[in-house]
Amino acid sequence: MISRVRIIAATRAFSIHFFLSVVAAVLMALLVLGVWFPYPLRHLAGGLDLFWILIGVDVVCGPVLTGLLYSPNKSRRELITDLSAIIIIQLGALIYGVYSISQARPVALVFEADRFVAVTAAQIDVTALPRALPQWQSLSWRGPIFLGTRKARNGIETLQSIELSLRGLEPSARPGWWQSYDDSRPVARQRMKPLSGLRAQQVPEVQAAVDVAVRQVGLPINQIYYLPLVSQKSLDQWIALLDKGANIIGYAPVGGF
């Protein structure tokens, strides 16, 4: 039978490990949810799901293993061996999890034709980065940057663009097609639509979500416009709210097409 002394010691070891794991989880939350996946991109790009998987492994598995294996009856050498193995496993899982999340992080929010596209690091062919303008030849680690996409320069490039799109590589994910959002702003202003018109077409539950977003923006709804906000994982679930200058001022969980 498990002695009371063993249970008390294991519980104490579990508690210490759990506390340290929670501290690490909080730091990870600041990075992942605060920097890499700002609202609402954590929902669009799947960052929230990946984060909870990472937290489950980091906060639960490590301390549980410590509680199961820790015993005051073991020698110092046995305890060091056991705890070292647990830490290595936990760190390995943490490193792999952070790497996976980093590949899913949105590196750019790109205006393309009639929508904003959240582009992740995994979508970018790094060998194509030298084709971008100098300031965009490395992927952002400080959250997504706002960009636009240029038009095809000639007929040959138009055909190449169609071929790439059929292969799943849209202009928003091509560094050589990126341009300043200011250069795309006139087109965005032409394509944006009044939010009031979209709200009128929705069921009451969705209208309520729009009203919440409008209150957060702080402008009358007749001064707010919208464009769809999409990603590879979310094709018609969010919109970006815009002012009359086509600046993004908020978001709402509403289909925009």
Side-chain angles (χ1 to χ4, degrees), residues 177-193:
W177 286 64
W178 290 343
Q179 66 179 13
S180 165
Y181 177 62
D182 284 337
D183 292 334
S184 294
R185 191 184 300 275
V187 179
R189 294 187 66 182
Q190 292 175 3
R191 300 297 173 83
M192 65 187 191
K193 301 175 183 179

Side-chain angles (χ1 to χ4, degrees), residues 6-231:
R6 158 77 171 83
I7 293 175
I8 293 174
T11 300
R12 183 171 181 273
F14 168 87
S15 300
I16 293 173
H17 196 161
F18 182 79
F19 172 76
L20 295 175
S21 296
V22 168
V23 171
V26 170
L27 295 176
M28 286 305 307
L30 294 175
L31 173 64
V32 174
L33 302 182
V35 179
W36 289 353
F37 292 86
Y39 177 86
L41 301 184
R42 65 194 62 158
H43 302 288
L44 277 122
L48 196 58
D49 294 335
L50 291 172
F51 175 73
W52 283 120
I53 292 173
L54 175 63
I55 293 306
V57 172
D58 181 59
V59 175
V60 177
C61 294
V64 167
L65 287 173
T66 296
L68 290 174
L69 296 179
Y70 188 87
S71 172
N73 296 324
K74 290 184 177 181
S75 67
R76 183 180 181 87
R77 181 175 180 180
E78 287 176 320
L79 287 175
I80 291 175
T81 300
D82 288 347
L83 295 178
S84 296
I86 293 170
I87 291 173
I88 290 172
I89 292 172
Q90 189 174 9
L91 284 177
L94 180 64
I95 291 171
Y96 178 77
V98 171
Y99 171 78
S100 298
I101 292 176
S102 73
Q103 292 302 296
R105 77 187 191 280
V107 293
L109 194 59
V110 186
F111 173 76
E112 179 188 305
D114 61 352
R115 69 201 68 184
F116 288 97
V117 183
V119 181
T120 68
Q123 290 178 255
I124 305 297
D125 179 0
V126 294
T127 63
L129 283 173
R131 302 173 194 166
L133 294 177
Q135 62 268 37
W136 303 318
Q137 289 183 357
S138 60
L139 299 181
S140 171
W141 289 95
R142 299 182 179 181
I145 56 176
F146 288 95
L147 297 170
T149 52
R150 64 174 177 79
K151 296 181 179 179
R153 296 190 178 102
N154 50 52
I156 294 176
E157 198 171 57
T158 298
L159 293 175
Q160 291 174 340
S161 179
I162 294 173
E163 180 183 354
L164 289 171
S165 293
L166 291 174
R167 288 162 46 190
L169 186 61
E170 299 295 342
S172 54
R174 305 174 203 162
W177 286 64
W178 290 343
Q179 66 179 13
S180 165
Y181 177 62
D182 284 337
D183 292 334
S184 294
R185 191 184 300 275
V187 179
R189 294 187 66 182
Q190 292 175 3
R191 300 297 173 83
M192 65 187 191
K193 301 175 183 179
L195 182 62
S196 57
L198 178 66
R199 183 190 183 279
Q201 302 171 5
Q202 306 300 322
V203 298
E205 292 81 3
V206 177
Q207 289 180 344
V210 173
D211 293 341
V212 169
V214 170
R215 287 195 295 271
Q216 291 174 342
V217 167
L219 290 177
I221 192 170
N222 60 4
Q223 296 181 23
I224 302 175
Y225 304 84
Y226 78 93
L227 282 171
L229 174 61
V230 304
S231 70

